[in-house]
Amino acid sequence: MTDTLQPDVVVPRLRGRFGKPYLYAAECPSTQDLLRASAQPEGAVAAAEHQTAGRGRSGRTWYDTAGSALLFSILLRPAPEGPPAPQLSLVAALAVAEAVEHAAGVDAQVKWPNDVWVERRKVAGILLEAAESSVVCGIGVNVNQSADELPAGRIPPTSLRVLTGMQHDRATVLADLLAALEAHYETWQRTGLADLLTALERRNALRGTPVGVGEVAGIAAGIAADGRLAVVTAAGEELFVESGEVGVEVRLPD
Ligand code: BTN
């Protein structure tokens, strides 16, 4: 079957409420904009084969090769009295890591607070954009790009195809990812990150890595129940840092 994200292929694979309704564009500036300020219900998904103005974090551009990457956004409406919305990047990263593991048979790591790595290379990124009563969670997963098609980044990228030498069915990866995200999101709404911490910590890419976060520099340790990252300074002090840009000194395997 041709690899496509068209509704007739994706919708029959969906197992829960996430992905309904499913909005599809062959091309659009950014799937984030298809859901921003939208009246759609929670779980609505917008997916595209190609974005002409894909956004990454910190004003960066998210490039893709048409028809190769999994590019989608999902509309979430977390309860205002529930856990803090920025924690959603960890909830989503866990779901992405599990979907990548399932698809490619590899170990995936969550790079706090919002990337997914395999073999210290970035395979997926997550962008949260909050509006008044909703959060649009955008996810880009490198699926079928060849090594030449991957854009250079601060963290070297990889794709499922580069990792396995095979083409992967993006619709299946999307359906698996949405099922995992729905399950983890519901857990998070009930209990915050507490019940997800073991699975997150098992995939904590930064543990033991030298990092700098704002003024704090040291060796990254665990992820706390409130989503902060513990960093042990040279003086042996354990500090907890909020989500933010992490300057990571990445050591890649030979
Ligand atoms: C990052 O790593 O900086 C976050 C990348 C997020 C990319 C996805 S692709 C689908 C959605 N639409 C966008 O414009 N960005 C997100």
Side-chain angles (χ1 to χ4, degrees), residues 27-108:
E27 180 180 301
C28 66
S30 164
T31 56
Q32 294 292 99
D33 298 336
L34 300 179
L35 293 177
R36 211 162 36 167
S38 154
Q40 296 284 0
E42 176 168 88
V45 163
E49 305 286 353
H50 175 52
Q51 296 181 131
T52 54
R55 294 198 286 280
R57 290 190 308 281
S58 304
R60 287 189 284 271
T61 303
W62 185 261
Y63 296 101
D64 68 84
T65 304
S68 294
L70 179 52
L71 309 165
F72 75 97
S73 303
I74 179 163
L75 185 69
L76 300 171
R77 299 188 182 282
E81 69 281 9
Q87 293 179 6
L88 279 170
S89 64
L90 289 167
V91 177
L94 178 59
V96 173
E98 289 174 348
V100 163
E101 288 170 355
H102 186 67
V106 294
D107 288 333

Side-chain angles (χ1 to χ4, degrees), residues 229-241:
L229 179 72
V231 177
V232 180
T233 68
E237 196 182 358
E238 188 179 50
L239 302 176
F240 289 88
V241 291

